[in-house]
Amino acid sequence: MPPVASIIIPNYENGRQSSVDGKVDLLGDLLESLERTLAGEVVPHEILILDDGSCDDSLATARRWSER
C-alpha cells in the first residue's frame, strides 16, 4: 500500500559533528523520536530526508536509517 502521509525533514549539517560539543545528533535524535511516536501507527507513512549538501555525519545517519 502506498504511503498516505509523508514526513519531510529538511537537513543541513544536523549531525553530531556539527554540534558544539560533538554530543548532540539532531537528525538521529529526531528519527529516534519519530520511530517511537509512529511505532503503533496504522496509517501507511514515509519519512523523506532532503539534504542540502551536508558535510557532516548527518548524511551517513540518514543512509543508516534508510536501511532499517
Side-chain angles (χ1 to χ4, degrees):
M1 179 177 225
V4 174
S6 297
I7 299 167
I8 301 171
I9 302 171
N11 179 64
Y12 180 74
E13 306 290 337
N14 287 310
R16 189 173 309 278
Q17 292 173 343
S18 293
S19 69
V20 174
D21 60 4
K23 295 181 181 178
V24 179
D25 180 4
L26 294 174
L27 183 60
D29 292 348
L30 174 61
L31 292 169
E32 286 177 17
S33 177
L34 285 171
E35 182 179 55
R36 286 189 307 272
T37 302
L38 300 171
E41 186 58 57
V42 295
V43 174
H45 58 277
E46 64 184 353
I47 298 174
L48 305 170
I49 300 172
L50 308 175
D51 188 79
D52 192 24
S54 294
C55 296
D56 67 353
D57 59 332
S58 59
L59 189 54
T61 299
R63 287 184 175 140
R64 261 193 325 276
W65 276 84
S66 73
E67 295 171 0
R68 295 175 105 182

